[in-house]
Structures are given as structure tokens and as C-alpha cells.
Amino acid sequence: MALLRFLFVLPVLLLATLGQAQEAMPLPVDEAFTLSAGAAQEGVALTWQIEEGYYLYRDHIEVIGPDDQPIALDLPHGEVTEDPTFGTTETLWDDFTTVVPLDDADTLSIRYQGCMDGSICYPPVNRTLDVTAMSLSDDLGFGMLAGGNQASAVSPITIAQDTGGSLLSQLAEQGGAFFVLGGFLLFGIALAFTPCVFPMYPILAGTLTRAGQTLSTTQAFLISLTYVLGMAIAFGLLGFAAAWSGQNLQMALQSPWAVWGVAVLFVVLATSMFGAFELQLPSSWTTAITRRSGGGGGFAGAGIMGFLSALIVGPCVTAPLAAALIYIAQTGDAVLGAAALFALGMGKGIPLIIFGTVGGKALPRAGAWMERVKHVFGFVFIAAAVWMLERALPGAVAVALWAALAVGIAIYVFWLIPALRSGWRFAGGALGALALAYGGVLGFGAATGATSPLEPLAGIAPARSGGETRTLTVAGLDGLDDAVASTQGHNRIVYFTADWCISCAVIEREIWDSPEALAGLNDTAIIKVDVTENSPSDQRIMQALQVYGPPTLLYVDANAAEVEGTRLIGEIGVTDFRDKALEAGML
């Protein structure tokens, strides 16, 4: 029962802590690192005041004289840090002053770079000191200026004051953390009806079955709730990891390896439903759980199974959750990240609780009916695997897999017909014939180049004319600067993408390869910014344009200014894409 008490107390502790947590949004660079200059007997005294939670790279502090040569500096020793960008390096966390010796110099160039702990790293700052007036230039050399979102000379695009961005960002701005929690809860309810959650129903059914032959409604409700709490805690830990590790977690979860791994797990689950093996905890674990629960109605087992279920099937929601993970990583607030994804897990679990409570007493313990239900879930698991692989395979190959699944369902139904009661045989035959016909159409579609199972004949349909769009792929701020200059006087759509971003592959197929999506975007340039390497150059361009990860899409007008409130973050569909294009005046 100790585990049960832990499962119920943990969310209360998370919410209580959340009430005290502040969103950790990065400060403008000149507030994070305040530089001042003053006269000293030996030359010029430069003082950096560093805000708590921020640090400067010791090796990146440099003063250049009028002869373009660096001046030797007496800097304090820093803390040896394992930095994700520069490896093992010294970092300075406290205020310090260094004296720069002068030799008839009128100006000095000062360069430095720093980071917010656990969050973003700023691009290098370049400032000029007028020695005569002891005044520092206001231009910091990049876009994160004090008190605004203006892009600098290095970035050719002026960032909107209100970028719009994800729904979660808007919720945070309007109502703070509790609006974010509510948004994640509703998001979880929406995800509850995706294939990702289907495997949890038979697992919960098996958990209820092991709890005893007879369950009251109250017992079924409590066991189902405990199962969902275990699942939600696993998601909460994912949120904590997202806030702690930042964009790297999004990169890992959107990689093709993650997609293929989850698809393989779905196939393994499907083979279990068809009788290859029993989906359950190892017998030694089950025995230990039963002994420790002391007849507590299977609560400990339910909590553990819920936790493990989230680890098994939970990763398949990471593609739709790209925007949410980016938002959590952006805040750097581990408590908020844990509480938000805990709320998402609870939202996903609401239908499970209803299923377990209403169906718990009526669930069959054995028999042919239960075997047929398991087979149905087996096909659902295979469908979920194909659905996942759509993101990592060419469209025609995915359609061929859907065709094979439809034919497999038809064969199964025809095999099952003799065992059905006479009243159900006609319905079974009709279902089998329909599945076989649809499988044949899908197979023909795959052979003719169709890329969507919902449009299997698109490969032979006349091509629809799209907009006269020009596409450029660039890297780094220099590449973006050239692309914007070469498209002067035209509207632009600036799109951040990466090879490891599975959601970007979906957008590539559904938006950039779709004449329907691009129709009417005449004289609009598509500028794709490739940040696959996540190099310092990639990080600088993302920081300059306030982009926290791919996929992110900016609508930029003919004057190289982002249109207010139109930014899109995460996986998007044709409707969202065209609605924002219309709002930006590009349609």
C-alpha cells in the first residue's frame, strides 16, 4: 500500500511546488551580462555583472586593440564545466573586473559569449568601446537586444513582437502555469483517441483480471485510477527530462531510430495478441507484487503496469508532441515540465478509467469471445506500427503496408466466418470483401505512386497546379542573409528543418510536396533552414530568430519582417498552413 500512497501523493506535491515555480525565460543578453567601463590607473577597467543562473565562457572573452591584435587579459579562474557546445571549458559565474592596459588606443573591440544555465546559449557579443568618452556601443552584434525582439544587422529578418507560436506558449502568456496544465490535460484527452493509447486497453483489462474474479465498481475504479496514475508519473518524468535536457531530448525522440523502435514494439505487442506469448510481467515480479500488496486489490501491480505501459507505448506520441516538448525545453522549468506531462498522462487516462470502471465487472475471464477481442487489438497494434512508419518511409511504401494490412484483415475474417453464428456470417463476408477490395485499391495506388491511404488513386489523377514557389535550402546566418537578399521584394516562408526531425518529414510530404497546400502561393519563396548538425552556427541562427527547434515556420513579408502572430511550431497540417498564409496576406 506504500506504493499506492506514493502514487496519490506525488501529483499533489508536483502541483504544490508548481505554484511556487517561476517560468525561466532567458533574459536579454545585456541584462544577463551587464558590461561597464571606467578609467583605471593602468588603463581601462571592464566590469561584467553576471546574473544568477548565467555564465560567461572564460576562453571567449577577448579585447581587440586598434592593430586588430588581442590584448592579454588577467581574468579570474573559472569553474570547469562540461559544456554541451564546447566540451570541457572554464566558465565564470560571478561578477568580475579586468583592467585592459592602453597604448594610445582610441577604441577597443570587446567580444564575449555566455549561456543561461540549463537553457539557451547566446551568440557571441561584439561591442565597441570609445576610450575617450568611456562609452560602449549599443549594438550587441545579434538579435536578442534589450527590451525587444528586433533582429540585428546579422539577421536580415525582423522578428515579430507577437510571434504567435504554439498554443501552449499562448496559454502560458494568458494564464500562466495553470493554463498550461489545463492545456496539457485537454491535449491528453485528444491523444487518448489515437492508436498510441490502444495497447493500454488490453493491458488494463489483464491487470483487472489478475486483481480477482469479482470486482466491485469501486474496486475497478480505484485499480484503473492507480494504473493511470502510474502512467501519468512516467510521462511526468519525461517532462522533467525535457526541461532538464532541452532540445536534445526532442532530437532523440524524433529520430528515425525512435520511430522504428516503437514500431517494432507494436509488432511485438501484436504477436502477443495473436497468442505467440503472454503479455504480462515476469512471474517472479508478479509473485513479489502480489505478496507485498497483501491482498490490496492489485493496486501495486496496477501502478507498476501503468508505469511500464507508458514506457512501452508512450514514445509514439512524441511526434505530435514536438511543439509541447520544445515549449517545455524553452522554459527550462523542470517542475513545470513534470507537472505538464503528468497532466497530459492523466488526460490520456480518462477514457481508460471509464473503460476499467464500467467494463471491469463485465470483462470476460476466458473463452472464444476474449480471444477474438485480443485478435482485434493485434490488428490495431499492427495498424499503429504502420501509422508510425509512415513518418520514416516513402509514401508509396507506407500505402503498400496499409494494403497488406487490409488484405490480412480480409483473410482473417474469411477464416473466421465458419465459426460465426449464422446471423453474423453475412456481415462477416461483407466486411471481408470490403477489406479485400480496399486492400486491392491500396495496392494499385502504391504501384502508381500514391502517398496517402486516404487518396489511393492520387497517383493516376491529373496533377493540380500549385503556386509558382521558389525553394532555397540554407545553413547559418550568412546563408539566410543571401537567401533574403536574393528574394528581395517577395514574400517568404522561412522553415526550420532537420534530417532527424520526423515531424519535418511529415511536413515535407504533406506541405512542400503538395500542390494543394502550395496552390495560390505565387511569387512566394520557401527558405528552408537546415539545422541537422545542431552546430554552433545552427544554434546562433535559431537564437537570432528566437527558434527553439524544428519544425518551426515563419511567414516573412516583402520587407523582410515576420508577420505578427503567424509563427507555427511543431507538426502542422494543410489547413493550419494555409490559414496562416492567408492571415499573412500571402493568399
Side-chain angles (χ1 to χ4, degrees):
M1 294 302 291
L3 176 63
L4 178 61
R5 289 193 295 269
F6 171 75
L7 290 172
F8 279 91
V9 168
L10 181 59
V12 176
L13 293 177
L14 286 174
L15 291 174
T17 307
L18 181 63
Q20 302 175 358
Q22 300 293 324
E23 293 186 13
M25 297 300 293
L27 292 171
V29 67
D30 57 346
E31 294 182 17
F33 315 106
T34 303
L35 174 62
S36 59
Q41 185 174 356
E42 298 85 0
V44 175
L46 298 178
T47 300
W48 278 270
Q49 293 178 299
I50 303 175
E51 288 294 318
E52 184 178 355
Y54 293 78
Y55 60 86
L56 288 173
Y57 294 111
R58 185 177 186 273
D59 294 340
H60 289 234
I61 299 173
E62 192 174 39
V63 177
I64 307 296
D67 56 355
D68 290 330
Q69 294 299 314
I71 298 174
L73 300 176
D74 183 16
L75 297 173
H77 291 291
E79 178 181 322
V80 177
T81 304
E82 286 296 328
D83 185 80
T85 302
F86 299 108
T88 303
T89 187
E90 280 191 79
T91 53
L92 301 173
W93 297 73
D94 299 317
D95 301 349
F96 68 94
T97 298
T98 184
V99 176
V100 181
L102 289 181
D103 185 14
D104 298 327
D106 294 327
T107 61
L108 295 174
S109 296
I110 305 168
R111 302 173 184 171
Y112 55 95
Q113 184 178 12
C115 298
M116 177 182 178
D117 186 24
S119 184
I120 70 165
C121 285
Y122 298 91
V125 175
N126 295 277
R127 302 186 71 175
T128 301
L129 173 66
D130 183 333
V131 176
T132 303
M134 282 298 168
S135 63
L136 288 159
S137 63
D138 292 330
D139 184 4
L140 306 183
F142 68 99
M144 300 186 73
L145 299 179
N149 296 329
Q150 301 292 325
S152 75
V154 228
S155 173
I157 294 172
T158 302
I159 305 304
Q161 293 292 326
D162 174 19
T163 59
S166 69
L167 173 63
L168 296 172
S169 299
Q170 297 174 26
L171 287 172
E173 291 175 2
Q174 295 173 7
F178 288 99
F179 267 46
V180 172
L181 290 180
F184 271 88
L185 181 69
L186 294 175
F187 196 15
I189 294 174
L191 288 174
F193 300 98
T194 64
C196 302
V197 183
F198 291 165
M200 296 185 181
Y201 287 93
I203 295 174
L204 176 58
T207 302
L208 291 167
T209 300
R210 284 190 293 271
Q213 293 295 320
T214 58
L215 286 175
S216 67
T217 301
T218 301
Q219 287 176 316
F221 168 76
L222 291 175
I223 290 176
S224 302
L225 177 60
T226 305
Y227 176 91
V228 169
L229 282 169
M231 178 184 72
I233 288 172
F235 275 100
L237 294 176
L238 176 65
F240 182 89
W244 178 73
S245 62
Q247 299 172 25
N248 293 332
L249 180 66
Q250 180 218 2
M251 182 188 301
L253 292 179
Q254 288 203 85
S255 70
W257 287 103
V259 171
W260 277 95
V262 174
V264 169
L265 283 174
F266 274 139
V267 173
V268 171
L269 290 170
T271 61
S272 170
M273 294 296 101
F274 288 116
F277 63 93
E278 186 68 23
L279 182 64
Q280 60 182 9
L281 289 171
S283 57
S284 58
W285 294 15
T286 305
T287 302
I289 291 170
T290 303
R291 186 187 311 117
R292 294 187 179 183
S293 62
F299 291 114
I304 293 174
M305 282 305 299
F307 188 91
L308 296 178
S309 298
L311 297 182
I312 291 172
V313 303
C316 89
V317 303
T318 56
L321 275 181
L325 289 175
I326 291 173
Y327 170 74
I328 291 172
Q330 168 187 343
T331 66
D333 190 330
V335 176
L336 175 62
L341 283 204
F342 178 87
L344 179 134
M346 291 302 298
K348 288 179 62 176
I350 288 175
L352 284 166
I353 294 173
I354 295 173
F355 165 79
T357 303
V358 175
K361 295 178 65 177
L363 286 173
R365 303 302 188 238
W369 189 90
M370 190 60 176
E371 289 301 311
R372 300 291 177 257
V373 170
K374 290 175 64 178
H375 293 167
V376 170
F377 274 109
F379 283 114
V380 170
F381 291 171
I382 295 175
V386 177
W387 179 71
M388 285 295 298
L389 290 176
E390 278 187 323
R391 304 169 176 279
L393 292 175
V397 175
V399 173
L401 291 178
W402 284 116
L405 176 59
V407 171
I409 292 173
I411 294 173
Y412 173 81
V413 172
F414 287 137
W415 169 78
L416 186 64
I417 285 177
L420 296 175
R421 296 179 182 178
S422 57
W424 289 96
R425 290 178 184 174
F426 176 79
L431 176 62
L434 182 63
L436 185 61
Y438 186 52
V441 172
L442 287 173
F444 177 78
T448 56
T451 58
S452 170
L454 300 179
E455 297 180 339
L457 302 181
I460 60 173
R464 290 165 291 187
S465 61
E468 296 296 326
T469 57
R470 176 185 176 191
T471 301
L472 305 93
T473 300
V474 304
L477 281 167
D478 290 340
L480 180 62
D481 188 55
D482 292 341
V484 171
S486 68
T487 57
Q488 186 174 4
H490 297 268
N491 292 320
R492 301 100 164 172
I493 298 177
V494 180
Y495 169 62
F496 283 78
T497 182
D499 290 348
W500 45 262
C501 169
I502 291 299
S503 293
C504 299
V506 176
I507 293 175
E508 190 72 32
R509 181 172 65 248
E510 296 186 358
I511 303 295
W512 308 128
D513 294 341
S514 168
E516 177 187 358
L518 300 179
L521 288 172
N522 300 317
D523 297 325
T524 298
I526 310 298
I527 302 175
K528 296 181 180 180
V529 183
D530 188 349
V531 292
T532 298
E533 298 299 325
N534 198 30
S535 64
S537 175
D538 294 338
Q539 293 173 17
R540 281 194 292 272
I541 189 172
M542 286 193 292
Q543 290 159 3
L545 297 181
Q546 299 179 14
V547 170
Y548 292 92
T552 299
L553 190 148
L554 288 69
Y555 292 86
V556 179
D557 65 18
N559 297 319
E562 182 183 9
V563 180
E564 297 287 332
T566 58
R567 184 174 296 199
L568 291 172
I569 299 174
E571 196 167 312
I572 59 173
V574 173
T575 301
D576 293 331
F577 172 78
R578 291 185 64 82
D579 284 349
K580 289 297 183 182
L582 181 62
E583 187 178 335
M586 298 182 184
L587 286 177

